Amino acid sequence: MTTVEDNPINGLVGLVEASASDMTRELARDLARFRMRYKFAIDEVSTKIAILREEFEHTHDHSPIEHVRTRLKSPDSLLAKARKIGCPLTLEALEQQIRDIAGIRVVCPFVSDVYWIMEMLGSQSDVDVVEVEDYIAEPKANGYRSLHLIIKVPVYLSDRAVDVPVELQIRTIAMDFWASVEHSIYYKYDGTVPTTLRDELGAAARTAADLDATMARLRSEVHGPVR
């Protein structure tokens, strides 16, 4: 009499399940190693920003940076982004098609600080500025203002160096406050925001832009040109 344990089909199913489990673990390890290089790129750029900030504070009368936030896309967010843009689920395709896996947001007191940070980072020999989207000079239709950069920095691994993209969002305190409120409203309404609220958000964006201009003018009158 053949027992369940002796059944060759049962043994084959167990082998397939074990192989699938091993494959899943291997894919998870590959994805973890893949995301690690983006974490290292965040560390690299964060260090550069910290150095610029400290140097500036020692030579000028204000800090050009209010605060810095970093973000590394989670595996779930990465998968969702890939599906949204129709990107094949391979590490090679993710690397080529998704450039905001690593993200850094820099919030500054003044608009002039925003452009100064872009200029200082872009002038460094190991920073490659791949793309610039200036939503300060040309705000989005909804009033959103910010400076977006895609830069690449070298990450030195144990066996090779790889150039890794990092998305930089640089904006003022007023821009950041507006964007935070706008995001929470769109999240609450699941993207379908009533017209009256959209109009108010547009008006608030113009107010934020006026505030940035006024504060820059007042500072210039008291302290002279920033740089």
Side-chain angles (χ1 to χ4, degrees):
M1 178 177 177
T2 302
T3 65
V4 173
E5 289 77 7
D6 296 331
N7 190 325
I9 295 178
N10 196 57
L12 179 60
V13 170
L15 179 61
V16 170
E17 289 178 347
S19 298
S21 177
D22 290 342
M23 184 179 298
T24 300
R25 285 194 293 269
E26 183 177 353
L27 289 173
R29 286 194 296 268
D30 288 344
L31 182 58
R33 286 194 293 268
F34 176 75
R35 292 177 67 247
M36 187 177 296
R37 71 177 68 169
Y38 289 89
K39 191 269 182 186
F40 294 155
I42 289 175
D43 292 343
E44 181 75 20
V45 178
S46 295
T47 298
K48 291 177 177 296
I49 292 171
I51 291 172
L52 289 175
R53 180 182 194 173
E54 186 170 349
E55 180 190 13
F56 192 94
E57 289 173 350
H58 277 82
T59 56
H60 295 78
D61 62 351
H62 83 283
S63 172
I65 297 171
E66 181 69 21
H67 60 263
V68 179
R69 296 193 185 101
T70 64
R71 184 264 304 142
L72 177 64
K73 276 190 183 300
S74 68
D76 287 344
S77 295
L78 191 52
L79 179 61
K81 179 66 176 283
R83 286 173 172 166
K84 181 179 179 181
I85 66 174
C87 175
L89 298 180
T90 66
L91 297 184
E92 293 78 10
L94 294 176
E95 181 177 14
Q96 292 173 4
Q97 298 186 33
I98 302 181
R99 297 189 294 179
D100 64 344
I101 298 173
I104 299 179
R105 180 178 300 157
V106 183
V107 178
C108 308
F110 300 100
V111 173
S112 59
D113 297 324
V114 172
Y115 291 104
W116 179 81
I117 291 169
M118 177 181 70
E119 181 183 348
M120 292 299 101
L121 284 176
S123 66
Q124 297 187 12
S125 61
D126 59 346
V127 174
D128 180 19
V129 179
V130 177
E131 182 180 308
V132 178
E133 292 181 313
D134 192 343
Y135 297 118
I136 299 175
E138 296 184 13
K140 290 186 177 182
N142 64 350
Y144 175 85
R145 297 163 65 237
S146 185
L147 182 65
H148 289 197
L149 308 175
I150 300 294
I151 64 175
K152 282 188 175 182
V153 293
V155 170
Y156 296 94
L157 304 175
S158 60
D159 57 344
R160 67 194 187 283
V162 291
D163 290 330
V164 181
V166 177
E167 182 192 52
L168 270 176
Q169 296 180 359
I170 316 174
R171 59 180 63 154
T172 66
I173 299 168
M175 296 174 197
D176 191 56
F177 180 47
W178 183 92
S180 177
V181 173
E182 190 262 1
H183 177 78
S184 65
I185 289 174
Y186 270 77
Y187 181 81
K188 177 179 175 60
Y189 285 93
D190 196 24
T192 308
V193 178
T195 302
T196 54
L197 284 181
R198 291 203 305 269
D199 291 343
E200 289 191 63
L201 281 170
R206 291 187 292 273
T207 299
D210 290 342
L211 177 62
D212 276 334
T214 299
M215 298 308 290
R217 178 179 56 79
L218 290 173
R219 186 188 181 285
S220 180
E221 288 182 4
V222 174
H223 299 284
V226 176
R227 280 176 286 280

